[in-house]
């Protein structure tokens, strides 16, 4: 074959691969208000920074006439890029190709880019939009999930792992995002559940829509599975960019320092935030804004267990993790959900060299049979464990009171003192 023919064949193969599932499937994807996988990556990373891997990988399915089927890139796009200069590895499932379903080669592409992220010690971002395990590949597909879960677990606390749910994410597939550090969802687009509405109807006779069962709002407000909620895909990508500016690439680096800026004290003056009446609530987020650089507070899980507030901000240009009781919600008591929320965040900050600032205004644990029976003892213990285990600098400010639950337990002196 001549060189010219080889070159034109290659170009055609590239054009075909870049079209994913083809124009009809792309139009269907867009009609549901979703971007394509490729558009998502381009919208998220710096211009011209995306380097794609394994564009020509083909699926390994043979049964159910799969041998005759062409699935471009096996339904997932992988590669490297930068976000505001911050290096990342990324994959995006392409729903236009067999519903983004996960076959063996699809999984191999994902695990290869995860391994690469671990080797480079940079964050991995996974964009999920998939019908789950590829039915035609049966147990090979399930084995592919196993490989991904194993790597999620090995990478935990070593590199940041970010999951973006931009379509269905069902069955066991939900467990990869659940093993990662931050889960982003978009209203009306993200759907996560273990068993879908049809199974629930068959087994339990209950009727519920996908949105009510596992939509973005449910995952953000009720289950706590999601950390960031956005109204649109573009807003979601902006949130990811902001998060990347606050966290380090890996567990041996520190988050990048920014030029220090004073808080905007005209809007957030600490003297005016505390009510004169000690029984009156106030918004602890305003307290945080009154002390941090440029009054910029990037809240995590803002819609879940709002009686505790967690998130990132900068002090003198350096990232700090904030944990604060919120007197505005349930008087800032600790309960099962707020304990889980805080403990997980504290452990993340500890793993990634982010100092912790705790603002305490705590009436104690929420009393009651519901909480006791929901396991407030074992959930509450997670906070104590997380603080005690953390070796990053920890600073506690008692804003008004610290009764009952000892959120400030880490100020206790170790036995040697
Ligand atoms: C193979 C799949 C697929 C799958 C979708 N497709 N899911 N192909 N395996 N799991 C294909 C469809 O056949 C269709 O192909 C194309 O993707 C688009 O799907 P539609 O159904 O037309 O799209 P939509 O109406 O938007 O519905 C999306 C959906 C639905 C809700 C995700 O496709 C669905 O329910 N899929 C099956 C979900 C499922 O049961 N997955 C297994 C979960 S168990 P054509 O050729 O017609 O365009 C699991 C176990 C993991 O994941 C365990 C890990 C331990």
């Amino acid at each position: 074959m001549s060189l010219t023919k080889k070159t034109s064949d290659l170009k055609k193969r590239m054009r075909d691969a870049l079209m994913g599932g083809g124009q009809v499937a792309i139009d269907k994807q867009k009609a549901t208000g979703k971007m394509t996988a490729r558009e998502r990556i381009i919208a998220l990373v710096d211009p011209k920074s995306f380097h794609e891997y394994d564009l020509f990988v083909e699926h390994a399915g043979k049964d159910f006439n799969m041998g005759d089927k062409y699935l471009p890139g096996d339904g997932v796009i992988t590669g490297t890029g930068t976000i505001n200069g911050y290096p990342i590895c990324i994959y995006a499932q392409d729903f236009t190709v067999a519903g983004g379903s996960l076959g063996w080669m699809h999984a191999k592409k994902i695990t290869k880019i995860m391994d690469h992220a671990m080797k480079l010690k940079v964050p991995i971002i996974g964009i999920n939009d998939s019908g789950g395990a590829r039915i035609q590949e049966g147990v090979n597909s399930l084995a592919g999930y196993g490989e991904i879960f194993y790597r999620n677990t090995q990478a935990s606390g070593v590199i940041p792992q970010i999951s973006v749910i931009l379509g269905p994410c069902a069955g066991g597939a939900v467990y990869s995002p659940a093993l990662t550090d931050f889960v982003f969802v978009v209203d009306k687009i993200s759907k996560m559940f273990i068993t879908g509405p049809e199974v629930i109807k068959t087994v339990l006779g209950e009727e519920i829509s996908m949105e009510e069962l596992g939509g973005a709002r449910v995952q953000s407000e009720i289950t706590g599975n999601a950390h960031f909620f956005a109204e649109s895909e573009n807003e979601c990508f902006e949130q990811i960019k902001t998060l990347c500016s606050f966290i380090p690439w890996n567990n041996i680096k520190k988050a990048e320092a920014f030029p220090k800026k004073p808080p905007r004290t005209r809007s957030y003056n600490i003297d005016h935030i505390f009510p004169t009446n000690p029984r009156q609530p106030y918004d602890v987020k305003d307290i945080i804004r009154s002390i941090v650089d440029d009054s910029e507070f990037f809240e995590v899980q803002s819609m879940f267990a709002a009686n505790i507030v967690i998130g990132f901000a900068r002090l003198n240009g350096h990232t700090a993790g904030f944990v604060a009781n919120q007197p505005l919600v349930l008087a800032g008591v600790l309960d099962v959900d707020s304990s889980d929320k805080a403990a997980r965040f504290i452990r993340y900050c500890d793993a990634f060299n982010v100092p912790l600032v705790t603002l305490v205004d705590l009436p104690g644990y929420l009393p009651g049979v519901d909480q006791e029976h929901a396991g407030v003892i074992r959930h509450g213990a997670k906070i104590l464990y997380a603080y005690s285990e953390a070796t990053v600098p920890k600073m506690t400010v008692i804003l008004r009171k610290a009764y009952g639950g000892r959120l400030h337990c880490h100020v206790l002196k170790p036995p040697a003192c």
Side-chain angles (χ1 to χ4, degrees), residues 189-201:
I189 288 182
S190 316
K191 285 157 191 57
M192 293 175 88
F193 38 76
I194 296 273
T195 52
E198 291 304 321
V199 178
I200 292 178
K201 191 173 169 191

Side-chain angles (χ1 to χ4, degrees), residues 25 28 32 34 66 69 95-102 130-137 141-143 145-146 149 168-175 193-194 210:
K28 196 176 160 197
T32 60
K34 300 198 295 187
M66 284 299 283
K69 280 218 166 167
F95 194 82
T96 69
V97 178
S101 56
L102 186 136
S130 167
R134 186 172 300 150
I135 306 298
Q136 298 90 331
E137 292 194 34
S141 157
L142 300 186
Y145 276 114
F149 301 156
C169 180
V174 295
Y175 282 114
F193 38 76
I194 296 273
M210 273 201 213

Side-chain angles (χ1 to χ4, degrees), residues 17 32 46 70 94 131 158 173 195 209 261-262 287 341 399 402-403 408:
T32 60
D46 296 334
Y70 170 55
D94 185 349
V158 181
T195 52
S209 69
K261 285 184 178 170
I287 299 286
K341 173 176 164 181
L399 294 179
Y403 305 149
H408 58 295

Side-chain angles (χ1 to χ4, degrees), residues 319-393:
T319 297
F322 280 78
V323 179
N325 307 119
Q326 173 58 290
L328 272 188
V329 181
L330 291 172
V333 289
L334 276 173
D335 58 5
V336 166
D337 285 342
S338 58
S339 299
D340 282 357
K341 173 176 164 181
R344 197 176 189 278
F345 182 71
I346 293 161
R347 297 194 75 187
Y348 178 86
C349 291
D350 182 44
F352 289 97
N353 311 312
V354 176
L356 281 160
V357 178
T358 305
L359 304 181
V360 180
D361 191 347
L362 180 66
Y365 276 98
L366 179 62
V369 179
D370 284 354
Q371 282 293 306
E372 295 292 343
H373 287 188
V376 71
I377 297 175
R378 71 189 159 86
H379 290 281
K382 293 180 194 174
I383 297 199
L384 310 186
Y385 189 96
Y387 271 127
S388 303
E389 176 196 47
T391 53
V392 287

